Amino acid sequence: MGVRQMTRLRVALGDYAHTLPLKSNQIASQSLALDFSDIQPVYKVFGAMVRQRAFDVSEMAIVTYLQAKSNGKPLVLLPAVMMGRFQHHCMLYNAEHGRITPSDLHGRRVGVRSFAQTTGVWLRGHLQNDYGVDVARVRWVTFEDAHVNEFRDPSGVERAGADKNLGKMVLAGELAAGIYGQELPDDKRLQSVIPEPEAAARKWHARHGVVPINHMVVVTEDLAKSQPETVKEVYRMLLQGKRATAPPTPGGLDLQPFGFEACRPALKMIIDYCVQQKLIARRFEVEELFDDTTRALGA
């Protein structure tokens, strides 16, 4: 009997409790061999995936994917969330310079790594829709381009100098506040612009029933079209990783939903936010983000 041919895939995923079993080969496949990128933090691979399809399978920020889709990039979304979280606590200011709340942001300089950074998009959506902030009147300061080359910062957005650092600028008072991504600084001087952010997040969830999505998983369109069974197997492994680790969640909420229907509410909302903020050219239907194979995947 011949040896079964293994399909080798180039894969880029962050280090999470639910991905480490795949990386350590504790969760394996009889048909797939996964060659993992060691690039960290994982957001550094998003641009290469969008521009060069540098991987067969890649984690990707959902706003990056929406902008890629808007610009015709040949990628397909899997309904597999690698990172989700409430965002209310991610906009910080230095309390030594005086208190700042959402209503104080008009005319003030606020830093964010990239204007299209997913955490920033969620927070601008919260500020505009829940706190009455005209986000166009905030003086946004960015530090790098979007992962999708076709997108340019809107008029009026300032680019910080190459030698500038968001955290240092917030502490120095050069920025009224900053939006922080995956790693929040541990500095007692830094306080949340949104007061009592944990309570605010609970109230927001009670009203909307949405857990914000940051990162999901995409595959190349070529792989999705030519090897749909391979895509299903990748999804099976990711889902098995989640089930094996069952990470604790606040209030019993699932911060890493899997399956098309489970992801739908957050995807609909982030599409609306992206349209509001002119980050994509048109409002996608959630179904459009997937193909026939990935749309049918469940939990």
Side-chain angles (χ1 to χ4, degrees):
M1 184 180 291
V3 177
R4 184 172 183 175
Q5 185 69 36
M6 299 283 281
T7 298
R8 302 196 74 88
L9 299 178
R10 302 161 300 160
V11 181
L13 297 174
D15 290 338
Y16 308 105
H18 49 285
T19 59
L20 291 177
L22 281 71
K23 293 189 174 191
S24 66
N25 219 33
Q26 289 176 270
I27 292 175
S29 170
Q30 294 183 337
S31 59
L32 301 184
L34 308 183
D35 294 332
F36 285 98
S37 162
D38 58 3
I39 298 173
Q40 296 292 340
V42 71
Y43 75 78
K44 292 186 179 294
V45 308
F46 299 165
M49 185 62 176
V50 169
R51 298 165 197 153
Q52 295 102 33
R53 264 68 71 202
F55 306 95
D56 302 298
V57 181
S58 177
E59 185 169 337
M60 184 168 287
I62 187 56
V63 173
T64 299
Y65 175 71
L66 290 172
Q67 290 195 314
K69 179 82 173 173
S70 187
N71 285 281
K73 307 300 181 183
L75 301 171
V76 175
L77 191 65
L78 270 63
V81 175
M82 295 294 98
M83 188 179 83
R85 67 173 180 185
F86 294 100
Q87 317 288 344
H88 293 71
H89 64 293
C90 297
M91 177 181 283
L92 305 177
Y93 71 98
N94 185 353
E96 290 186 343
H97 298 297
R99 188 180 181 197
I100 294 177
T101 66
S103 62
D104 301 315
L105 293 175
H106 289 154
R108 308 287 288 275
R109 298 172 81 223
V110 176
V112 60
R113 178 172 55 80
S114 162
F115 195 79
Q117 182 188 24
T118 295
T119 296
V121 176
W122 278 114
L123 271 165
R124 285 195 300 271
H126 294 344
L127 291 172
Q128 179 171 341
N129 295 286
D130 302 311
Y131 292 90
V133 176
D134 181 352
V135 295
R137 291 175 56 200
V138 178
R139 297 170 58 195
W140 299 102
V141 179
T142 63
F143 294 77
E144 60 186 61
D145 291 335
H147 299 298
V148 177
N149 280 340
E150 288 84 349
F151 179 75
R152 294 288 180 268
D153 284 352
S155 174
V157 173
E158 176 188 341
R159 178 58 57 91
D163 61 332
K164 292 292 187 177
N165 172 277
L166 185 149
K168 290 179 180 178
M169 290 178 74
V170 171
L171 287 174
E174 295 179 61
L175 295 172
I179 293 175
Y180 292 80
Q182 196 166 348
E183 295 183 2
L184 290 171
D186 183 15
D187 189 320
K188 288 184 169 52
R189 293 172 292 180
L190 296 174
Q191 301 294 319
S192 173
V193 171
I194 294 177
E196 300 182 22
E198 289 78 17
R202 287 194 299 270
K203 183 178 178 181
W204 185 87
H205 179 266
R207 184 163 66 250
H208 297 289
V210 169
V211 174
I213 288 171
N214 280 65
H215 297 177
M216 296 183 73
V217 177
V218 301
V219 297
T220 63
E221 189 177 88
D222 179 63
L223 181 69
K225 286 183 173 180
S226 63
Q227 300 184 55
E229 293 305 314
T230 294
V231 173
K232 290 180 184 178
E233 179 68 355
V234 168
Y235 182 81
R236 180 198 68 79
M237 296 173 73
L238 291 168
L239 181 56
Q240 188 178 343
K242 177 188 173 180
R243 288 174 172 167
T245 53
T249 57
L253 297 176
D254 186 358
L255 298 182
Q256 286 95 37
F258 272 58
F260 173 75
E261 289 300 336
C263 294
R264 179 196 288 273
L267 290 173
K268 184 178 185 305
M269 181 169 278
I270 196 63
I271 289 168
D272 288 344
Y273 282 5
C274 284
V275 171
Q276 275 187 343
Q277 298 171 37
K278 298 181 172 57
L279 296 168
I280 56 178
R282 68 175 180 88
R283 179 177 279 102
F284 292 112
E285 296 299 326
V286 174
E287 288 81 359
E288 293 180 76
L289 307 183
F290 304 87
D291 70 0
D292 289 344
T293 298
T294 64
R295 199 181 301 115
L297 295 171

